[in-house]
């Protein structure tokens, strides 16, 4: 996977951040690698969790909105990708956008999705949104993903 050409900017505090489309390879930059790899390594996928889910998971496309500056993204994104890897979801089925501190992009990538909090992982099937995990899991990342993939009732932390 080759990194996408990215736009870099500074947060209000003067820290570097990525804006717009990116992929996992962009997070290998030393500025982001440490938190991404730490959260990836920290997350434990339950044994055999993905076995029965892999086939169903292939039907989904994921759209991920995140912020390299965002503590919630730094905490959750590695675990999200650890589960994606366990499910063998192809990189081609994952679209990712980095937003600024106002949770916006210059191009408005987030507008059709009404993004309020990040990270947000949108699960799409046949081009239509099925469900989303917003900012943090309700139970655990793997339990929340399993419910969405298997079509069980699921409400994200902000879905009142």
């Amino acid at each position: 996977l080759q990194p996408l050409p990215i736009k870099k900017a500074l947060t209000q505090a003067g820290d570097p951040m990525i804006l717009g489309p990116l992929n996992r390879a962009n997070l290998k930059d030393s500025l982001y690698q440490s938190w991404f790899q730490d959260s990836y390594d920290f997350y434990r996928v339950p044994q055999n969790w993905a076995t029965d889910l892999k086939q169903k998971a292939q039907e989904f496309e994921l759209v991920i909105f995140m912020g390299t500056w965002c503590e919630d993204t730094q905490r959750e994104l590695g675990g999200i990708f650890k589960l994606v890897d366990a499910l063998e979801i192809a990189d081609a089925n994952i679209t990712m956008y980095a937003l600024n501190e106002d949770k916006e992009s210059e191009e408005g990538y987030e507008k059709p999705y009404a993004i309020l909090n990040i990270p947000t992982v949108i699960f799409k099937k046949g081009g239509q949104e099925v469900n989303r995990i917003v900012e943090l899991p309700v139970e655990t990342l793997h339990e929340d993903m399993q419910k969405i993939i298997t079509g069980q009732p699921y409400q994200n932390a902000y879905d009142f």
Side-chain angles (χ1 to χ4, degrees), residues 128-142:
Q128 298 298 311
E129 180 174 340
V130 173
N131 215 322
R132 61 176 64 188
I133 296 172
V134 180
E135 193 174 15
L136 65 157
V138 174
E139 294 177 41
T140 63
L141 279 173
H142 65 271

Side-chain angles (χ1 to χ4, degrees), residues 1 5 9 20 23 25 29-30 33-34 38 58 60 67 77-78 97 105 110 113 125-127 133 141 143 152 154:
L1 183 66
N23 63 28
D29 183 304
S30 60
Q33 176 68 28
S34 61
D38 286 351
Q58 304 313 307
F60 288 89
L77 195 63
Y97 300 102
S105 62
E110 72 290 349
Y113 297 99
K125 206 179 205 181
I133 296 172
L141 279 173
E143 289 170 313
Q152 296 175 52
Y154 174 78

Side-chain angles (χ1 to χ4, degrees), residues 155-160:
Q155 287 190 308
N156 68 64
Y158 294 90
D159 195 5
F160 301 109

Side-chain angles (χ1 to χ4, degrees), residues 28-40:
K28 296 205 183 302
D29 183 304
S30 60
L31 292 169
Y32 316 109
Q33 176 68 28
S34 61
W35 62 256
F36 179 76
Q37 195 63 51
D38 286 351
S39 71
Y40 186 96

Side-chain angles (χ1 to χ4, degrees), residues 9-154:
L10 295 177
T11 64
Q12 293 164 1
D15 297 319
M17 67 177 165
I18 296 174
L19 293 176
L22 75 159
N23 63 28
R24 185 193 327 213
N26 294 115
L27 298 175
K28 296 205 183 302
D29 183 304
S30 60
L31 292 169
Y32 316 109
Q33 176 68 28
S34 61
W35 62 256
F36 179 76
Q37 195 63 51
D38 286 351
S39 71
Y40 186 96
D41 293 343
F42 180 77
Y43 198 87
R44 295 287 171 248
V45 179
Q47 192 171 356
N48 302 321
W49 172 80
T51 308
D52 295 332
L53 293 175
K54 279 182 192 178
Q55 190 172 351
K56 277 186 170 27
Q58 304 313 307
E59 301 170 12
F60 288 89
E61 298 164 45
L62 303 182
V63 181
I64 301 172
F65 289 91
M66 49 80 76
T68 54
W69 52 268
C70 170
E71 289 178 13
D72 298 316
T73 295
Q74 293 175 12
R75 183 188 65 237
E76 303 295 345
L77 195 63
I80 290 165
F81 272 100
K82 188 121 177 215
L83 293 168
V84 161
D85 290 347
L87 293 168
E88 299 175 4
I89 296 173
D91 289 324
N93 290 345
I94 301 167
T95 306
M96 189 162 47
Y97 300 102
L99 304 179
N100 66 21
E101 291 165 291
D102 294 322
K103 299 173 193 86
E104 296 172 342
S105 62
E106 287 180 12
E107 301 82 358
Y109 296 115
E110 72 290 349
K111 291 200 183 337
Y113 297 99
I115 299 300
L116 299 175
N117 295 292
I118 55 176
T120 293
V121 182
I122 298 169
F123 292 76
K124 294 173 78 175
K125 206 179 205 181
Q128 298 298 311
E129 180 174 340
V130 173
N131 215 322
R132 61 176 64 188
I133 296 172
V134 180
E135 193 174 15
L136 65 157
V138 174
E139 294 177 41
T140 63
L141 279 173
H142 65 271
E143 289 170 313
D144 289 16
M145 268 195 194
Q146 183 171 342
K147 283 184 175 180
I148 293 170
I149 291 167
T150 59
Q152 296 175 52
Y154 174 78

